[in-house]
């Protein structure tokens, strides 16, 4: 006989801070983890025991999840898994839910000012290839599609013993860079759904102002030392091609995650 499957709903962790535990469990509302684009449903066989169906319950109690959420919501300087404070100084940028750094901080990172705290650095340039080839931050990788981000996170070897910092940007860090930042965090949350708030990449930043602002601030760290805007007549065909490929400028595709407060509920930043 073919096995019969049922849906398993993830519990809304924020609700625990406002309602009795028994009521929250019965409601089966989805947990709004920071960075999770859509609530994930897991399928499990009816024949399994309760212990086998809920590995999360075997590893830690509900109280530990509540404590993690409360700590992350009240201590903004913490990285996204709550394990330590951010290494780099952050600013309040255009995207309030993301950690933003200035071009000056980016330069200091590249010059080794934070080498004692940063074990590995990856600068993720989310611009289109013709923009990247026209000038980019030395050592940056060009990832401009969601599939490229997925491949990156699944092919990266990470360790809790080492601090691997990611810095995202696009031309202005207005649309493409933030979108890929959020997408990677979403994938990371899904990979580590059973060990919340653990993350493979807990420390990530957005370069405020993007490549344009950085190039104008310190082109010595750019190669080649030039800047090619996305909107150029000679690359109009390339622009159409890569827009379709990346779908990063699709109409109505707005960021889904914002930091906001409503009543007693506070949604977490990334």
């Amino acid at each position: 006989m073919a096995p019969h499957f049922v849906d398993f709903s993830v519990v809304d962790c924020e609700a625990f801070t406002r309602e009795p535990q028994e009521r929250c469990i019965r409601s089966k509302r989805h947990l709004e983890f920071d960075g999770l684009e859509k609530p994930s449903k897991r399928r499990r066989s009816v024949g399994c025991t309760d212990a086998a169906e809920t590995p999360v319950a075997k590893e830690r109690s509900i109280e530990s999840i509540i404590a993690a959420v409360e700590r992350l919501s009240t201590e903004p300087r913490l990285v996204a898994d709550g394990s330590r404070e951010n290494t780099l100084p952050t600013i309040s940028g255009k995207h309030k839910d993301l950690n933003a750094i200035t071009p000056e901080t980016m330069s200091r990172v590249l010059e080794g000012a934070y080498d004692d705290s940063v074990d590995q650095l990856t600068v993720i340039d989310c611009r289109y290839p013709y923009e990247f080839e026209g000038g980019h931050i030395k050592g940056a990788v060009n990832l401009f599609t969601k599939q490229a981000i997925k491949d990156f996170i699944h092919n990266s070897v990470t360790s809790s013993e080492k601090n691997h910092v990611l810095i995202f940007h696009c031309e202005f860090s207005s649309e493409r860079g933030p979108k890929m930042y959020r997408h990677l965090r979403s994938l990371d949350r899904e990979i580590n759904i059973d060990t919340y708030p653990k993350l493979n990449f807990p420390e990530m930043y957005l370069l405020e102002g993007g490549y344009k602002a950085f190039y104008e601030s310190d082109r010595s760290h750019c190669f080649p030392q030039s800047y090619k805007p996305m909107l150029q007549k000679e690359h109009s065909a390339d622009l159409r091609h890569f827009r379709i490929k990346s779908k990063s400028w699709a109409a109505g595709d707005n960021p889904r995650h914002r930091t906001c407060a409503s009543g007693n509920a506070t949604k977490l930043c990334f």
Side-chain angles (χ1 to χ4, degrees):
M1 181 188 295
H4 176 67
F5 293 95
V6 296
D7 287 335
F8 171 79
S9 296
V10 181
V11 179
D12 185 350
C13 193
E14 286 185 355
F16 280 97
T17 61
R18 304 190 299 276
E19 301 179 5
Q21 181 171 323
E22 294 79 12
R23 179 179 174 188
C24 293
I25 294 174
R26 289 197 301 270
S27 68
K28 294 184 179 180
R29 288 185 292 180
H30 292 296
L31 174 61
E32 293 187 12
F33 291 130
D34 64 318
L36 212 56
E37 290 186 345
K38 294 181 180 179
S40 299
K41 290 188 176 182
R42 301 171 69 88
R43 295 187 175 272
R44 290 191 169 86
S45 172
V46 174
C48 298
T49 64
D50 288 342
E53 290 177 355
T54 56
V56 175
K58 295 172 62 177
E59 297 178 9
R60 65 197 186 285
S61 65
I62 294 297
E63 287 75 15
S64 68
I65 301 177
I66 297 173
V69 171
E70 290 180 343
R71 188 176 183 220
L72 288 169
S73 64
T74 57
E75 300 182 39
R77 279 293 301 164
L78 293 177
V79 297
D81 66 357
S83 62
R84 62 182 183 275
E85 289 193 353
N86 287 313
T87 302
L88 307 182
T90 59
I91 61 170
S92 179
K94 179 180 178 181
H95 298 268
K96 305 302 181 183
D97 58 323
L98 308 181
N99 285 329
I101 62 171
T102 64
E104 291 74 23
T105 296
M106 180 79 254
S107 293
R108 296 192 69 219
V109 171
L110 296 173
E111 290 163 2
Y114 298 94
D115 284 358
D116 289 344
S117 303
V118 176
D119 298 303
Q120 185 175 349
L121 171 70
T122 301
V123 178
I124 298 179
D125 189 329
C126 304
R127 296 176 300 155
Y128 300 137
Y130 67 89
E131 298 172 83
F132 182 82
E133 293 166 3
H136 57 267
I137 296 173
K138 293 177 182 177
V141 295
N142 188 206
L143 307 178
F144 67 99
T145 66
K146 289 187 174 182
Q147 183 59 49
I149 293 292
K150 183 177 181 180
D151 292 341
F152 172 82
I153 195 171
H154 284 291
N155 294 331
S156 298
V157 178
T158 60
S159 169
S160 59
E161 303 299 321
K162 293 186 176 181
N163 185 17
H164 187 168
V165 171
L166 305 184
I167 299 178
F168 289 78
H169 75 85
C170 53
E171 184 175 5
F172 307 110
S173 288
S174 177
E175 176 71 17
R176 294 172 289 176
K179 182 184 293 291
M180 293 307 170
Y181 181 131
R182 294 186 180 100
H183 184 58
L184 190 145
R185 177 55 52 77
S186 176
L187 293 176
D188 208 349
R189 285 294 186 205
E190 290 174 1
I191 290 170
N192 293 287
I193 188 70
D194 290 338
T195 53
Y196 181 85
K198 179 184 179 295
L199 289 166
N200 292 357
F201 296 99
E203 189 164 357
M204 308 199 309
Y205 302 92
L206 180 70
L207 174 59
E208 189 71 10
Y211 180 77
K212 181 178 186 295
F214 181 77
Y215 176 76
E216 292 173 350
S217 171
D218 185 4
R219 66 185 65 186
S220 67
H221 290 292
C222 300
F223 178 83
Q225 289 187 13
S226 60
Y227 159 50
K228 180 171 290 186
M230 180 183 75
L231 299 176
Q232 284 198 336
K233 279 189 176 181
E234 62 265 33
H235 289 287
S236 58
D238 292 327
L239 176 59
R240 287 193 297 271
H241 170 75
F242 290 119
R243 269 182 168 173
I244 293 171
K245 186 173 182 179
S246 67
K247 296 182 180 180
S248 66
W249 289 70
D253 190 6
N254 295 320
R256 295 173 182 160
H257 305 286
R258 297 292 186 200
T259 301
C260 63
S262 176
N264 294 325
T266 300
K267 292 187 178 180
L268 304 182
C269 293
F270 283 86

